[in-house]
């Protein structure tokens, strides 16, 4: 950033935009070249495979070098692992954070993050919007859940710190969602969550993982669209738009000097209350350095010009813009200093680390002598792998546990159900499983889906033996504690099934420990 930039060019550096295409659209090219755009965020909609996205990112950086500042873009992605992974073809997809939490192994978490960071940087990403360091202590949380390392602040902090170290060997890591999204039962994509805990509770539970992240040198913290009345008295200002939360708490009290990002400003927690222009101005006033607007060109343009107008009118000081611009500049300089070494994508060694991580995560919570499997023939009922919130990806893995068991030589009758299960489906499946010697059920957060939970309870009553495999959070076990055998797998991605079959057949022993409290 050699030349003196104008107000408009500095404000451009405080914006991070997304687009819907798999190639760079003209309006993004123009925004980079004319308005000095600072960053890009990609989603799975933009990505085909590593080669394609590497080309897109290279094109974006070529444009950035022709921009007024002449410096690279911050190109970000949500690659948390598990259910939130935008790039899944040809790379090593990690288990989700709750699976990592079950390993209770910081060294392994650091190694996994280093692999993910290496592969992301190899295809042109330089910011990972991970790790999620929310403490998930609300079983009904619809948007965090398996994205959290667990329900204990000390575990979440320790593993978050390890992940940050691993990621930041190669790119900038992001601790999110400040000051904590783990104790909500509302998805901020859809509405505004409120966390009503007092300061003592927040400082004991929600904040410690962020303090650990800051101590670990995390480069970015992403703010949550969540209301915290103990921190901000204005009921219309979520953390993202609160000067009290972002400047007084995060900057001044906790001492964070890196970049503050907003969560996507097009989430309904924001758009139900504010125009995009007003929201962007409030975010900059609160202390945000980079405003993320993921989808809509009109809203992106509105935010950019609204911030410029707010400076020209005197509402935002030029000094405030300079502060954030300096932080963006420093982050880009940090990236430039990272070793430009050859980086490997999707090697067998990387895949094996991920498989070994799953092996260490699998948790036998209870077992009534059903493991290892004795029968050669049984029924497997699987909930279809699917996203359960807007943050997650649609999972297109064609194969499930039944397929892997057949591959291991078992005779399996497989049935698939959705997350919810109708009365007619339950009746049919209860008839099918009555007096069956063994039924294996792959569940997904059954405590949040009444039909699924009722089906499992009914099958436990009519089948001779039942094994439940929890493919998301294990809180569901509270709804059917009489399950003879319950194995927490924490994921329904294909990386889980092979190690799970190894566990079911006695080739490996379960090593995982529950990272959440079921009491």
């Amino acid at each position: 950033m050699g030349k003196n930039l104008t107000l408009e060019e500095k404000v451009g550096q405080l914006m991070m935009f997304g687009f819907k295409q798999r190639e760079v659209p003209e309006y993004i090219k123009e925004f980079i070249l004319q308005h000095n755009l600072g960053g890009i965020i990609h989603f799975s909609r933009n990505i085909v495979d590593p080669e394609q996205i590497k080309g897109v990112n290279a094109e974006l950086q070529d444009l950035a070098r022709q921009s007024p500042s002449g410096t690279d873009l911050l190109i970000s992605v949500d690659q948390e692992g598990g259910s939130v992974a935008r790039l899944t073809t040809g790379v090593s997809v990690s288990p989700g954070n709750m699976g990592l939490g079950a390993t209770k192994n910081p060294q392994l978490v650091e190694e996994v993050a280093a692999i993910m960071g290496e592969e992301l940087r190899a295809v042109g990403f330089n910011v990972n919007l991970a790790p999620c360091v929310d403490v998930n202590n609300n079983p009904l949380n619809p948007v965090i859940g398996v994205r959290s390392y667990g329900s204990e602040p000390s575990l979440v902090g320790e593993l978050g710190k390890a992940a940050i170290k691993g990621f930041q060997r190669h790119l900038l890591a992001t601790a999110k969602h400040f000051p904590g999204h783990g104790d909500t039962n509302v998805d901020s994509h859809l509405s505004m969550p409120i966390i009503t805990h007092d300061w003592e509770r927040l400082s004991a539970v929600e904040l410690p993982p962020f303090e650990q992240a800051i101590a670990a040198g995390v480069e970015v913290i992403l703010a949550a669209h969540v209301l915290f009345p103990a921190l901000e008295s204005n009921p219309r200002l979520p953390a993202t738009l609160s000067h009290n939360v972002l400047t007084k708490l995060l900057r001044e009290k906790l001492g964070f000097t890196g970049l503050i990002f907003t969560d996507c400003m097009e989430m309904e927690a924001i758009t139900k209350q504010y125009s995009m222009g007003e929201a962007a101005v409030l975010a900059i006033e609160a202390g945000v350095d980079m405003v993320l607007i993921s989808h809509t060109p009109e809203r992106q343009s509105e935010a950019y010009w609204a911030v410029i107008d707010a400076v020209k009118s005197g509402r935002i000081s030029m000094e405030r813009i300079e502060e954030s611009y300096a932080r963006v500049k420093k982050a880009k300089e940090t990236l430039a200093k990272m070793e430009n070494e050859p980086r490997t994508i999707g090697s067998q060694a990387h895949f094996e680390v991920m498989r070994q991580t799953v092996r260490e995560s699998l948790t036998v919570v209870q077992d009534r002598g059903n493991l290892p499997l004795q029968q050669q023939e049984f029924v497997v009922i699987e909930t279809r792998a699917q996203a359960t919130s807007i943050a997650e990806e649609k999972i297109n893995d064609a194969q499930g546990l039944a397929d892997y068991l057949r591959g291991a030589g078992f005779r399996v009758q497989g049935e698939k159900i959705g997350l919810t299960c109708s009365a007619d489906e339950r009746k049919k499946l209860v008839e099918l499983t009555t007096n069956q010697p063994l039924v294996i059920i792959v569940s997904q957060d059954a405590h949040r889906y009444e039909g699924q939970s009722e089906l499992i309870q009914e099958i436990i009553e009519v089948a001779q033996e039942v094994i439940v495999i929890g493919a998301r959070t294990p809180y569901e076990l509270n709804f059917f504690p009489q399950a003879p055998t319950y194995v927490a797998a924490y994921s329904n991605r294909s990386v889980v099934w092979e190690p799970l079959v190894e566990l079911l057949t006695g080739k490996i022993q379960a090593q995982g420990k529950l990272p959440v409290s079921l009491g």
Side-chain angles (χ1 to χ4, degrees):
M1 301 185 184
K3 68 166 234 177
N4 291 325
L5 299 182
T6 65
L7 163 66
E8 289 79 4
E9 290 163 352
K10 287 177 178 173
V11 171
Q13 285 290 291
L14 312 189
M15 300 284 153
M16 178 172 279
F17 294 165
F19 52 88
K20 295 180 180 176
Q21 300 86 339
R22 287 178 171 172
E23 56 284 319
V24 184
E26 285 303 315
Y27 79 89
I28 289 290
K29 293 178 185 178
E30 290 175 15
F31 219 104
I32 294 169
L33 295 172
Q34 294 179 18
H35 302 304
N36 205 35
L37 183 64
I40 291 287
I41 178 169
H42 285 311
F43 295 87
S44 58
R45 67 192 179 195
N46 306 114
I47 300 171
V48 179
D49 54 34
E51 185 177 358
Q52 172 265 344
I53 197 60
K54 184 176 182 179
V56 169
N57 288 339
E59 181 185 357
L60 285 164
Q61 297 297 23
D62 284 344
L63 289 162
R65 288 163 198 149
Q66 301 168 52
S67 70
S69 63
T71 56
D72 283 2
L73 293 152
L74 297 180
I75 303 183
S76 70
V77 67
D78 292 283
Q79 191 80 353
E80 299 174 16
S83 59
V84 179
R86 312 307 189 199
L87 177 59
T88 57
T89 302
V91 297
S92 314
V93 179
S94 160
N97 279 1
M98 195 166 284
L100 293 171
T103 72
K104 304 202 171 177
N105 184 339
Q107 291 74 29
L108 185 59
V109 171
E110 183 175 343
E111 184 180 7
V112 164
I115 288 171
M116 294 168 70
E118 177 181 354
E119 295 189 349
L120 288 174
R121 194 71 191 268
V123 296
F125 291 103
N126 53 26
V127 181
N128 192 11
L129 300 174
C132 176
V133 294
D134 301 302
V135 179
N136 198 91
N137 41 30
N138 188 330
L140 295 177
N141 193 314
V143 70
I144 303 300
V146 288
R147 299 168 66 194
S148 167
Y149 293 113
S151 59
E152 289 299 320
S154 57
L155 177 68
V156 174
E158 185 179 26
L159 298 187
K161 189 173 177 180
I164 289 160
K165 284 166 130 178
F167 286 134
Q168 290 192 170
R169 293 185 205 172
H170 301 280
L171 41 62
L172 308 185
T174 306
K176 65 185 186 185
H177 306 78
F178 184 82
H181 205 321
D183 198 5
T184 62
N185 56 12
V186 172
D187 183 347
S188 53
H189 292 85
L190 306 175
S191 196
M192 182 78 77
I194 302 174
I195 292 180
T196 57
H197 299 306
D198 61 19
W199 168 252
E200 286 69 27
R201 152 61 197 247
L202 294 173
S203 58
V205 177
E206 275 74 18
L207 295 179
F210 289 99
E211 293 173 304
Q212 287 240 47
I214 293 166
V218 72
E219 293 283 353
V220 183
I221 289 180
L222 183 145
H225 300 320
V226 179
L227 286 169
F228 290 83
L231 306 176
E232 172 57 66
S233 59
N234 187 331
R236 296 188 70 231
L237 294 181
T240 331
L241 309 181
S242 168
H243 186 270
N244 287 327
V245 173
L246 299 186
T247 297
K248 290 190 174 176
L249 175 58
L250 181 54
R251 289 274 184 231
E252 296 172 8
K253 191 173 182 68
L254 301 184
F256 179 60
T257 59
L259 287 174
I260 298 176
F261 284 11
T262 68
D263 209 338
C264 176
M265 297 292 275
E266 293 192 76
M267 289 160 64
E268 290 188 29
I270 299 297
T271 59
K272 281 182 176 178
Q273 295 199 75
Y274 295 104
S275 69
M276 193 54 54
E278 178 64 11
V281 169
L282 286 168
I284 298 291
E285 286 181 320
V288 161
D289 301 305
M290 196 155 247
V291 180
L292 271 67
I293 307 173
S294 303
H295 310 293
T296 313
E298 294 77 14
R299 283 173 164 171
Q300 293 165 349
S301 181
E302 180 187 341
Y304 170 74
W305 289 111
V307 173
I308 290 168
D309 289 345
V311 178
K312 289 181 175 178
S313 73
R315 179 175 170 183
I316 295 176
S317 69
M318 192 63 204
E319 181 185 23
R320 174 69 200 85
I321 299 299
E322 296 282 5
E323 287 172 1
S324 286
Y325 168 68
R327 291 190 196 105
V328 172
K329 181 179 177 183
K330 184 181 176 189
K332 293 184 176 186
E333 289 168 351
T334 298
L335 281 167
K337 291 175 192 164
M338 286 185 181
E339 290 182 44
N340 194 18
E341 62 199 34
R343 291 183 167 97
T344 304
I345 307 171
S347 67
Q348 281 307 309
H350 286 182
F351 288 138
E352 185 49 40
V353 170
M354 300 310 178
R355 276 194 292 270
Q356 184 57 33
T357 304
V358 175
R359 291 184 189 107
E360 292 195 27
S361 73
L362 295 172
T363 308
V364 176
V365 181
Q366 57 198 44
D367 177 40
R368 193 172 70 190
N370 289 318
L371 299 177
L373 293 173
Q374 307 300 317
Q375 290 91 345
Q376 288 297 306
E377 188 170 347
F378 39 80
V379 174
V380 175
I381 298 171
E382 298 183 73
T383 47
R384 294 182 189 90
Q386 64 189 85
T388 63
S389 80
I390 295 171
E392 298 180 9
E393 294 302 329
K394 293 175 183 173
I395 297 176
N396 298 316
D397 294 338
Q399 292 191 310
L401 177 59
D403 301 296
Y404 279 80
L405 285 166
R406 289 188 192 103
F410 292 96
R411 294 185 296 280
V412 174
Q413 178 177 349
E415 299 284 341
K416 291 279 182 91
I417 60 169
L419 292 176
T420 56
C421 190
S422 69
D424 287 344
E425 282 182 298
R426 290 203 306 276
K427 183 180 177 186
K428 172 193 156 193
L429 291 170
V430 168
E431 288 175 1
L432 171 67
T433 55
T434 297
N435 292 323
Q436 284 283 347
L438 176 64
V439 178
I440 299 177
I441 306 170
V442 179
S443 58
Q444 292 185 66
D445 280 349
H447 62 299
R448 292 179 51 216
Y449 302 97
E450 187 177 0
Q452 190 187 148
S453 177
E454 288 178 1
L455 173 69
I456 294 168
Q457 292 173 58
E458 289 170 8
I459 291 176
I460 289 169
E461 290 176 8
V462 301
Q464 292 178 33
E465 288 295 341
V466 173
I467 297 173
V468 181
I469 310 292
R472 290 185 68 85
T473 63
Y475 298 114
E476 62 190 8
L477 187 55
N478 287 327
F479 283 67
F480 40 85
Q482 74 278 29
T485 301
Y486 186 87
V487 180
Y490 310 103
S491 176
N492 50 23
R493 285 203 179 273
S494 57
V495 68
V496 166
W497 304 130
E498 186 180 331
L500 184 59
V501 170
E502 292 174 348
L503 174 68
L504 294 174
T505 55
K507 290 182 181 174
I508 62 170
Q509 298 297 309
Q511 300 177 57
K513 306 279 190 243
L514 276 180
V516 295
S517 171
L518 301 186

